[in-house]
């Protein structure tokens, strides 16, 4: 049986080690020689295919002259190879990109999203999620749709669990008015959104049509804040599947854009009132 490909967390770990090596101006063969291994091993570690223990990681950090102790400790917490998560139960059954989203959400210390045409997956009801998956083209088999729905509902544990992740979501009015599944499903979905918005860790902000244009209009974005900002990850939806961004320049640009979008949105209180009004209109 072929081994599972590296998860997004493993790939992210390896990529950060490669960036540290390149920042030190060191080639892979030179790093391998200093570590007492071969170039292939370094390449496999940087590709996320091989794990690495804490002692070897600290040796690499020393070889690369990394002085960022916080980054080193965060990387140490990621050592030891692959650890199975609840999402691994779905591996091979639903698109792997959906599992990557689960993993970055699970390990994030804070979540920020912008949704312009779809409501955030972390707050979708079962009926709403099923109605969305029913519209996928080409349409997946019924079993896969049901597994995708179950997976989407399971993702919500990061918001509702015993140690909930702080979440700030900006939602455009278009997403609130989109009636996936019909009027009754949409009404129940909006009420669920209002109920979840009462959680201490959740802040939902609305951009009405009347507020005009704004940066990233039309995009669907998840910004997963990591324990160290070097390890933040951005996810964007696309017709070809999930896209992920993690370079320092990309992350900085997304942070700026998210802050600008937040300035266009209504306050939390006015946003809640706005959702109430739309729900009453249905």
């Amino acid at each position: 049986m072929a081994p599972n490909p590296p998860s997004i967390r493993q790939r992210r770990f390896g990529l950060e080690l490669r960036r540290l090596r390149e920042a030190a101006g060191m080639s892979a063969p030179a790093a391998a020689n200093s570590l007492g291994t071969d170039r292939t091993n370094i390449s496999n570690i940087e590709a996320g295919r091989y794990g690495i223990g804490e002692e070897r990681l600290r040796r690499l950090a020393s070889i690369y002259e990394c002085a960022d102790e916080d980054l080193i400790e965060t990387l140490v917490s990621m050592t030891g190879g692959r650890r199975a998560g609840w999402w691994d139960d779905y591996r091979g059954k639903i698109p792997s990109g959906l599992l990557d989203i689960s993993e970055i959400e699970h390990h994030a210390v804070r979540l920020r999203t912008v949704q312009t045409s779809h409501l955030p997956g972390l707050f979708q009801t079962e009926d709403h999620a099923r109605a969305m998956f029913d519209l996928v083209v080409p349409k997946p088999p019924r079993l896969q749709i049901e597994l995708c729905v179950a997976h989407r509902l399971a993702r919500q544990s990061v918001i509702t669990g015993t140690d909930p992740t702080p979440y700030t979501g900006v939602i455009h009015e278009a997403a609130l008015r989109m009636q996936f599944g019909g009027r009754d499903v949409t009404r129940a979905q909006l009420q669920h959104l209002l109920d979840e918005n009462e959680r201490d860790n959740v802040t939902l902000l609305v951009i009405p049509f009347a507020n005009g244009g704004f940066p990233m209009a039309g995009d669907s974005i998840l910004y997963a804040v990591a324990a160290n900002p070097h390890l933040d990850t951005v996810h964007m939806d696309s017709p070809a599947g999930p896209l992920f961004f993690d370079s320092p320049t990309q992350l900085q640009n997304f942070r700026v854009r998210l802050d600008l979008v937040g300035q266009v949105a209504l306050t939390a209180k006015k946003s809640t009132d706005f959702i109430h009004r739309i729900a009453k209109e249905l």
Side-chain angles (χ1 to χ4, degrees):
M1 180 180 296
N4 287 327
S7 70
I8 191 170
R9 184 169 169 84
Q10 290 172 301
R11 299 194 301 271
R12 194 72 179 80
F13 174 82
L15 176 59
E16 200 60 36
L17 289 181
R18 190 187 79 187
R19 286 175 176 160
L20 290 177
R21 175 177 60 77
E22 292 175 343
M26 185 174 291
S27 67
N33 184 61
S34 298
L35 192 62
T37 186
D38 57 61
R39 176 179 180 174
T40 301
N41 200 21
I42 291 293
S43 296
N44 282 323
I45 290 171
E46 292 182 351
R49 290 188 291 267
Y50 287 5
I52 184 173
E54 177 180 347
E55 181 180 350
R56 298 189 84 194
L57 171 64
R58 292 190 184 279
R59 284 178 59 194
L60 273 179
S62 177
I63 291 168
Y64 299 154
E65 298 182 347
C66 176
D68 189 336
E69 291 296 331
D70 183 64
L71 175 58
I72 294 171
E73 292 306 316
T74 302
L75 290 172
V76 164
S77 71
M78 299 169 67
T79 60
R82 186 175 193 148
R83 299 179 181 88
W86 64 262
W87 51 88
D88 283 299
D89 291 342
Y90 294 88
R91 195 166 298 282
K93 302 172 184 176
I94 65 175
S96 61
L98 298 181
L99 308 185
D100 289 338
I101 296 171
S102 306
E103 189 169 24
I104 64 172
E105 287 175 341
H106 176 80
H107 291 288
V109 299
R110 182 186 170 204
L111 296 168
R112 304 175 67 183
T113 67
V114 174
Q115 305 284 151
T116 54
S117 58
H118 296 155
L119 295 178
L122 292 176
F123 299 95
Q124 291 178 13
T125 64
E126 179 177 348
D127 289 339
H128 181 100
R130 184 175 291 109
M132 288 187 62
F133 284 116
D134 276 338
L135 294 176
V136 171
V137 178
K139 190 169 183 176
R142 174 51 57 184
L143 176 58
Q144 183 174 319
I145 289 178
E146 292 306 317
L147 287 169
C148 286
V149 171
H151 168 263
R152 179 155 296 182
L153 296 178
R155 282 173 50 199
Q156 299 173 8
S157 61
V158 298
I159 298 297
T160 63
T162 55
D163 186 21
T165 303
Y167 173 96
T168 301
V170 178
I171 307 173
H172 194 265
E173 181 179 350
L176 295 170
R177 293 190 179 278
M178 197 80 71
Q179 293 190 22
F180 289 101
R183 181 169 297 183
D184 290 343
V185 170
T186 303
R187 185 183 295 112
Q189 172 62 74
L190 292 181
Q191 184 57 54
H192 178 70
L193 200 63
L194 290 167
D195 292 342
E196 295 299 287
N197 194 30
E198 293 181 0
R199 295 183 181 275
D200 293 337
N201 59 306
V202 174
T203 301
L204 298 178
L205 306 174
V206 173
I207 298 179
F209 286 123
N211 284 19
F214 56 94
M216 300 188 297
D219 293 331
S220 175
I221 295 168
L222 161 67
Y223 191 108
V225 181
N228 183 283
H230 288 278
L231 297 168
D232 290 357
T233 304
V234 170
H235 156 247
M236 292 183 67
D237 285 334
S238 82
L243 302 176
F244 298 96
F245 304 88
D246 52 36
S247 77
T249 300
Q250 290 170 332
L251 293 174
Q252 175 59 24
N253 287 338
F254 276 112
R255 285 192 290 267
V256 171
R257 294 167 189 162
L258 284 167
D259 289 342
L260 291 172
V261 171
Q263 294 172 16
V264 179
L266 301 174
T267 65
K269 175 63 169 61
K270 289 182 179 180
S271 294
T272 300
D273 293 342
F274 196 91
I275 298 172
H276 270 295
R277 288 201 299 274
I278 293 178
K280 288 181 179 179
E281 293 172 6
L282 291 173

